[in-house]
Amino acid sequence: MSVDKSVEIVEAFWREVWQGRNPGAAAGRVAKDFVITSGGLEIVGREAFVEWVAAFLQGIDAFQFKSIESFQNADGSRVASRWMFTGRNRGFLGGRDCGTSFEMRGTAILHVRPDGLLQHNWVERNALEVYREVVGL
């Protein structure tokens, strides 16, 4: 892999999996032993990740994902990306299905392997603020 392609790899992942609302597309983008660390919770393995994405998307109506900006380190092994998504709550925060509109923003650091597959994704997001917005606190 050329070290200048890592941002393109991550942007394709965002486009195919999240913008395309296609969890199965992750199978061609992430390593078999892929890990996502989301809010401190680890989901380990490609199959578990695909299931996690599907469950996540199932709890949101009118889901729209946007990549705000992405940039990489010198050797292309890490990409930092700011993103946002909007939707209507259908229980994605573990609560009731209330249909409340919300906007979530976050940052991801992704490990891109030399073969172009994603190995790890560390995600932080404004979940507390979204939760408060959705439940009306």
Side-chain angles (χ1 to χ4, degrees):
M1 172 189 74
S2 172
V3 297
D4 61 344
K5 300 288 185 188
S6 295
V7 167
E8 291 176 31
I9 290 165
V10 168
E11 291 294 330
F13 171 73
W14 293 148
R15 188 172 49 256
E16 294 169 14
V17 177
W18 293 103
Q19 289 173 343
R21 292 177 253 169
N22 182 3
R29 294 282 173 191
V30 304
K32 185 176 175 79
D33 58 347
F34 176 79
V35 177
I36 182 170
T37 304
S38 178
L41 175 69
E42 285 195 344
I43 293 85
V44 180
R46 179 189 295 149
E47 291 177 18
F49 176 66
V50 169
E51 291 172 11
W52 180 83
V53 172
F56 187 92
L57 291 173
Q58 187 175 26
I60 305 169
D61 274 348
F63 179 87
Q64 295 292 315
F65 181 94
K66 178 183 178 188
S67 174
I68 298 169
E69 70 175 330
S70 297
F71 48 92
Q72 67 184 54
N73 66 352
D75 69 6
S77 65
R78 297 290 188 276
V79 173
S81 186
R82 294 176 48 232
W83 50 264
M84 66 161 297
F85 69 82
T86 59
R88 287 191 310 274
N89 178 44
R90 292 293 176 220
F92 93 103
L93 290 171
R96 62 184 174 85
D97 175 350
C98 61
T100 303
S101 294
F102 66 91
E103 176 180 290
M104 181 172 275
R105 293 179 177 265
T107 305
I109 307 295
L110 298 105
H111 173 193
V112 182
R113 296 185 344 183
D115 63 3
L117 292 177
L118 302 177
Q119 182 64 53
H120 202 127
N121 182 3
W122 296 269
V123 180
E124 297 298 333
R125 66 248 188 275
N126 65 330
L128 176 61
E129 293 80 5
V130 171
Y131 175 78
R132 287 178 173 164
E133 180 181 348
V134 167
V135 300
L137 294 177

